[in-house]
Amino acid sequence: MQSRPLPRLYLIRNANIIDPVREKEFGGEIFLKNGRIVEIGKKVQVEESSGKVEEVDAEGRYVTHGFCDIHAHFREPGREDKETLVSGSRAALGGGFTTVCVMPNTDPPLDTPELIRFIVEKAADLPVNIHPIGAVTRNQDGEELTEMAAMVREGAVAFSDDGIPLKDGGVVRRALEYTTSLGVPIINHSEDPQLKGEGQMNEGVWSTRLGLAGIPGVSESAMVSRDVQLAEFTGGRLHVPHVTTRESAEWIRWAKERQLKVTAEVAPHHLYFTDADLSTYDTNLKVAPPIRSEADRQALIECLRDGTVDCLATDHSPHTVEEKEAPFDWAPCGMIGLESAFGAIWKVLSGASFSLIEMVQKITINPRSLFGFETDLFRKGTPAELVFFDPEKEWTFSREQIQSKSRNSPFLGKGMRGKVLQVIARGMIHDLPPAGSL
Amino acid sequence: MGFLKNRHLLGLADVSAEETATILETAFSFREVLDRPIRKVPTLQGKTVVNLFFESSTRTRISFELAQKRLSADTVNFSSDTSSLMKGESFKDTAQNIEAMKVDCIVIRHPVPGAPVHLTRYVKAVVINAGDGTHEHPTQALLDMMTLQEKFGEIKGLNVAIIGDIAHSRVARSNIIGLNRMGASVTLCGPPTLMPLGIEELGVRIDYDLDQVLDWADAINVLRIQRERHGVCFIPSIREYRDLFGITRERLGRLDKQVTIMHPGPMNRGVEIDSDVADSDNAIILDQVLNGVAVRMSILYLLLGDQPG
């Protein structure tokens, strides 16, 4: 990846501009000054009196808002061998993401205002916007609430105990109640630990064939059902991460019909793979919640189409090679996902007749609106966060393209559609290495 | 190079009906060797086989070791409980260290499903699955099929019931795949809590009424109730299990026919099967044990033997 400072005056010409806010796609120009949007239009006015304007011809390239991921793990502090804020930022840029929210399951977990401040300060000079998500409970032990108000003041944008489900409904109730005054969502990893048991993969014919202990879909939907009812009872904001089953989606739909403050995300790997892909015992496909059946996968695509599921989020979860080389039962859950996200999602969604604008909305304005971030990045004066891409490029995801410290991706060798080419964020231009062709 | 399509025996899912027939036919010829006064042939002289057992086993390990010795292979045994080898790195290191010592074949038993597949990523040697968690136990199913063929002449058309803890049984999975492929009908019988989701899609029938199943079956394969797994409310009690699914003399006595009894062992006498049933003339349990050596000789020969010319 080649990076350089953004010129003071920068004119992008001949771009295919996708505006996800106004739902428009048009050929036009973008003029930037001091890293901020001056004007976007078919033809823009350039003030040449204030200095030299660097012009770039973006013929054949599409440009839109920088992508936003509200669910990633950068492992700092504690497991810098897997990922750091610096390496995670590079991985984000490699995937076209200019804004990333990082989960609190670090070591120690982000459960105090001081640790939130540590992330915010450390991320201040990085090339992407990083927002910490605080833990709901101290030490993520599911019992005592953290100092949420102070943590929000320091920059926490949401609260979650991440991979550790809040199994105590009373704690979920209090967390939802307490945050009604803070305006931030509670994110609960929905997997009932008792129903999950020793499960290693989706429970169904494939777990039966492979002899791997199954995780039933109801382990997720039972908890989603409880949580959306608590959201109704408390009036709190609930965000359901990485939905994987049709039944969970039906509970989210139920909540939306009642106009509750309930939102949801789906991960690219749950849209791309099915439990049949685990037939090779690839530990990179071991994730929590697990890759589900083809019927679930189809249901998730439909939920994304009809808005039941609001957005995409990567659940980028780096692990070392050594950890993932273990026999299946012993390997940790999780895969990296930032750099493969766009190509994987667009391959699936273009095949399901989504328009480019619809797809772009799911990774730009929708996630930003959930966490209260600015959604109209084309508004005059907004810091430039732009991603350039080729939606038609067919390519294969390979190790050489990975910027993350980890390599645990089941997408290696898989077909992608759509390639991120360049990112502009925080006053820098980043050119991404070209993809190998299919 | 071997005589089968695949280099390894990781499960019966990868073995065709033709290959199964070849394995069984070869096993019958080795069975004759076992009946000779000198029960040894030089077939695998110069080949080295490591028995890599990460899970305790007596009969399977001895059976494999005997098969290797009867074929004149050099054998080495490695046993380890999994507690000292919980790290994947250790698994890989162990595998690669053994590989570095120039072995031709690794017979692996492991508590984690898919571990033999995992092993093939690190070694060039032929890998034989001697049981991986609750996935497959292909040589056990092959010896079960050999014993049925010996008893009935052919497997095609037989009604075979598998009774007990299907969910935790690698024997059941390999039996289902193998028996179906060879043309038998398979019915599963056991508590609903021990019946894995979607198993019907493997081409079996499920019946929770043991008496009805016994009426239908030509042969039954009785699985061990794994008491160590039943702390998590799969069954309320051994007493109730025995009442519903135990193979008792009384139950068999109500039938107007003889049913052939198999058991992969070790048996819980008085729990899933009564002693007098296990020791009766209808039981072919010890034939299974003998045929186990012949089947393993057959597999070793077909995977490691040199093609003529």
Side-chain angles (χ1 to χ4, degrees):
Chain A
M1 187 161 50
Q2 302 279 333
S3 303
R4 63 192 166 104
L6 187 63
R8 201 174 74 81
L9 300 172
Y10 194 61
L11 176 63
I12 300 156
R13 303 178 59 200
N14 287 325
N16 292 311
I17 299 169
I18 306 243
D19 183 341
V21 177
R22 293 158 198 86
E23 301 190 357
K24 283 195 306 187
E25 178 182 333
F26 60 96
E29 300 179 343
I30 302 173
F31 184 45
L32 308 177
K33 182 180 178 184
N34 294 326
R36 292 178 183 270
I37 302 282
V38 175
E39 196 180 346
I40 293 180
K42 287 186 179 162
K43 187 78 187 163
V44 302
Q45 293 294 319
V46 178
E47 40 160 324
E48 293 190 38
S49 57
S50 53
K52 184 177 177 301
V53 178
E54 184 173 323
E55 290 189 21
V56 60
D57 188 343
E59 175 77 45
R61 292 181 165 203
Y62 284 71
V63 60
T64 190
H65 294 186
F67 304 152
C68 172
D69 184 16
I70 57 170
H71 190 156
H73 306 82
F74 282 179
R75 308 296 187 203
E76 186 177 350
R79 287 305 304 266
E80 290 83 355
D81 55 324
K82 298 184 183 195
E83 197 81 287
T84 61
L85 293 165
V86 170
S87 67
S89 298
R90 290 178 62 82
L93 289 171
F97 291 90
T98 55
T99 295
V100 179
C101 303
V102 291
M103 280 290 180
N105 67 330
T106 46
D107 184 16
L110 307 180
D111 62 353
T112 64
E114 291 76 16
L115 281 159
I116 296 295
R117 192 186 313 142
F118 165 81
I119 300 291
V120 170
E121 286 179 356
K122 195 132 194 205
D125 298 327
L126 295 178
V128 297
N129 302 307
I130 294 177
H131 301 279
I133 293 170
V136 177
T137 63
R138 288 173 201 265
N139 203 34
Q140 295 186 295
D141 60 11
E143 291 171 10
E144 281 180 77
L145 294 185
T146 52
E147 294 173 320
M148 291 174 161
M151 290 163 79
V152 167
R153 270 202 307 274
E154 294 295 344
V157 293
F159 291 94
S160 175
D161 277 356
D162 192 52
I164 306 170
L166 291 162
K167 58 186 179 192
D168 184 333
V171 171
V172 178
R173 171 194 172 167
R174 298 306 177 201
L176 285 165
E177 280 174 346
Y178 195 75
T179 48
T180 50
S181 64
L182 302 175
V184 294
I186 296 295
I187 306 170
N188 188 18
H189 182 109
S190 303
E191 279 194 297
D192 180 300
Q194 276 71 41
L195 285 169
K196 180 176 182 177
E198 299 295 312
Q200 303 292 326
M201 67 173 289
N202 181 48
E203 185 167 347
V205 68
W206 276 101
S207 63
T208 294
R209 275 180 207 271
L210 297 173
L212 292 168
I215 302 169
V218 72
S219 66
E220 177 178 303
S221 56
M223 200 174 260
V224 170
S225 142
R226 179 199 70 179
D227 289 351
V228 297
Q229 290 179 72
L230 286 169
E232 180 173 47
F233 180 67
T234 59
R237 288 186 59 196
L238 173 75
H239 179 69
V240 184
H242 40 46
V243 177
T244 68
T245 75
R246 181 177 55 78
E247 290 78 10
S248 298
E250 281 172 7
W251 280 102
I252 295 159
R253 189 174 285 128
W254 174 89
K256 290 200 161 173
E257 282 165 5
R258 294 164 89 91
Q259 299 185 314
L260 307 182
K261 293 174 192 151
V262 171
T263 53
E265 72 191 34
V266 65
H269 46 270
H270 290 124
L271 294 176
Y272 193 100
F273 296 105
T274 70
D275 53 1
D277 291 307
L278 272 76
S279 61
T280 58
Y281 294 97
D282 180 1
T283 54
N284 289 321
L285 281 164
K286 183 175 175 181
V287 284
I291 305 288
R292 301 284 185 190
S293 68
E294 175 62 14
D296 285 312
R297 192 182 78 89
Q298 291 297 338
L300 294 177
I301 292 170
E302 287 315 304
C303 288
L304 202 54
R305 193 195 305 278
D306 69 19
T308 303
V309 171
D310 301 83
C311 67
L312 290 146
T314 67
D315 194 8
H316 177 82
S317 302
H319 289 297
T320 63
V321 171
E322 292 78 18
E323 285 173 313
K324 279 291 191 180
E325 273 180 346
F328 201 91
D329 283 18
W330 301 344
C333 290
M335 66 173 80
I336 56 169
L338 284 162
E339 290 144 289
S340 52
F342 178 69
I345 295 163
W346 183 230
K347 184 173 178 69
V348 173
L349 298 189
S350 60
S353 305
F354 277 59
S355 70
L356 201 47
I357 292 176
E358 285 174 312
M359 187 273 184
V360 164
Q361 286 174 327
K362 312 291 184 192
I363 51 170
T364 57
I365 58 172
N366 290 12
R368 282 193 172 89
S369 74
L370 297 190
F371 280 20
F373 301 153
E374 170 67 57
T375 52
D376 188 1
L377 300 190
F378 285 172
R379 198 167 47 84
K380 191 172 177 176
T382 305
E385 284 187 55
L386 302 174
V387 58
F388 295 76
F389 61 94
D390 174 356
E392 301 303 325
K393 178 74 178 173
E394 302 270 348
W395 57 292
T396 304
F397 191 61
S398 67
R399 290 175 73 89
E400 297 71 46
Q401 281 145 352
I402 294 177
Q403 304 281 339
S404 168
K405 269 195 170 185
S406 295
R407 297 286 182 272
N408 54 310
S409 173
F411 287 106
L412 290 168
K414 297 290 180 194
M416 306 260 130
R417 183 162 192 236
K419 176 78 179 72
V420 173
L421 305 168
Q422 191 181 63
V423 178
I424 293 178
R426 304 194 102 181
M428 298 289 287
I429 301 175
H430 308 275
D431 290 307
L432 301 176
S437 297
L438 276 174
Chain B
M1 290 303 294
F3 299 86
L4 300 178
K5 180 170 60 68
N6 295 311
R7 279 194 68 228
H8 311 288
L9 179 69
L10 303 174
L12 286 193
D14 306 323
V15 181
S16 68
E18 294 72 28
E19 286 179 316
T20 306
T22 304
I23 293 166
L24 297 184
E25 194 181 316
T26 311
F28 278 112
S29 66
F30 281 123
R31 170 69 189 273
E32 286 169 23
V33 172
L34 295 176
D35 291 332
R36 290 181 199 160
I38 296 178
R39 297 180 283 273
K40 193 157 179 146
V41 288
T43 316
L44 294 187
Q45 205 157 34
K47 304 279 185 187
T48 306
V49 184
V50 175
N51 296 312
L52 191 57
F53 276 58
F54 292 95
E55 190 181 70
S56 60
S57 158
T58 305
R59 90 184 49 206
T60 304
R61 195 180 56 74
I62 291 174
S63 180
F64 263 109
E65 198 178 339
L66 272 177
Q68 291 148 12
K69 289 187 190 310
R70 300 285 184 239
L71 293 170
S72 306
D74 296 320
T75 68
V76 183
N77 292 317
F78 173 90
S79 299
S80 172
D81 64 9
T82 50
S83 59
S84 61
L85 279 167
M86 281 299 282
K87 297 268 186 255
E89 192 178 26
S90 301
F91 178 85
K92 180 182 173 183
D93 283 346
T94 305
Q96 289 185 332
N97 276 290
I98 290 169
E99 172 86 343
M101 294 178 214
K102 305 283 182 199
V103 302
D104 300 291
C105 175
I106 299 176
V107 175
I108 177 173
R109 166 165 287 197
H110 201 280
V112 176
V117 177
H118 196 58
L119 183 61
T120 61
R121 295 180 185 132
Y122 305 127
V123 300
K124 293 187 189 74
V126 167
V127 174
I128 297 176
N129 181 1
D132 59 332
T134 50
H135 176 221
E136 280 221 47
H137 194 353
T139 55
Q140 176 68 43
L142 288 164
L143 73 88
D144 290 343
M145 287 193 278
M146 180 182 177
T147 314
L148 284 171
Q149 189 166 321
E150 185 177 48
K151 168 88 182 181
F152 291 97
E154 64 174 344
I155 297 165
K156 193 175 177 186
L158 281 180
N159 291 340
V160 183
I162 304 173
I163 296 161
D165 180 355
I166 311 295
H168 299 115
S169 175
R170 51 192 170 214
V171 175
R173 280 167 178 77
S174 289
N175 261 276
I176 290 166
I177 296 164
L179 287 167
N180 266 336
R181 194 155 286 157
M182 298 309 284
S185 296
V186 181
T187 291
L188 307 178
C189 183
T193 46
L194 295 174
M195 208 57 79
L197 201 65
I199 192 112
E200 303 93 321
E201 290 186 39
L202 301 188
V204 295
R205 205 166 61 86
I206 296 172
D207 192 333
Y208 299 114
D209 182 335
L210 179 59
D211 293 313
Q212 210 164 275
V213 169
L214 290 172
D215 262 340
W216 168 85
D218 300 310
I220 60 172
N221 202 344
V222 186
L223 301 178
R224 182 168 73 93
I225 273 295
Q226 300 181 48
R227 297 185 208 221
E228 69 273 16
R229 293 187 190 274
H230 294 151
V232 282
C233 66
F234 284 103
I235 54 172
S237 72
I238 291 293
R239 182 170 69 168
E240 184 154 301
Y241 180 83
R242 178 180 152 79
D243 190 35
L244 292 174
F245 301 105
I247 307 300
T248 61
R249 167 70 62 192
E250 183 200 0
R251 201 162 231 146
L252 294 177
R254 289 201 294 264
L255 302 173
D256 55 4
K257 61 168 187 177
Q258 300 292 312
V259 176
T260 295
I261 317 283
M262 296 195 291
H263 195 300
M267 286 184 281
N268 292 313
R269 288 171 182 261
V271 180
E272 73 265 2
I273 190 165
D274 276 359
S275 257
D276 51 3
V277 173
D279 298 334
S280 70
D281 291 343
N282 295 335
I284 53 172
I285 296 166
L286 294 177
D287 300 310
Q288 289 174 270
V289 176
L290 174 61
N291 289 338
V293 179
V295 152
R296 288 169 180 128
M297 289 171 78
S298 165
I299 288 295
L300 286 160
Y301 166 68
L302 292 171
L303 290 176
L304 292 173
D306 294 321
Q307 296 267 17

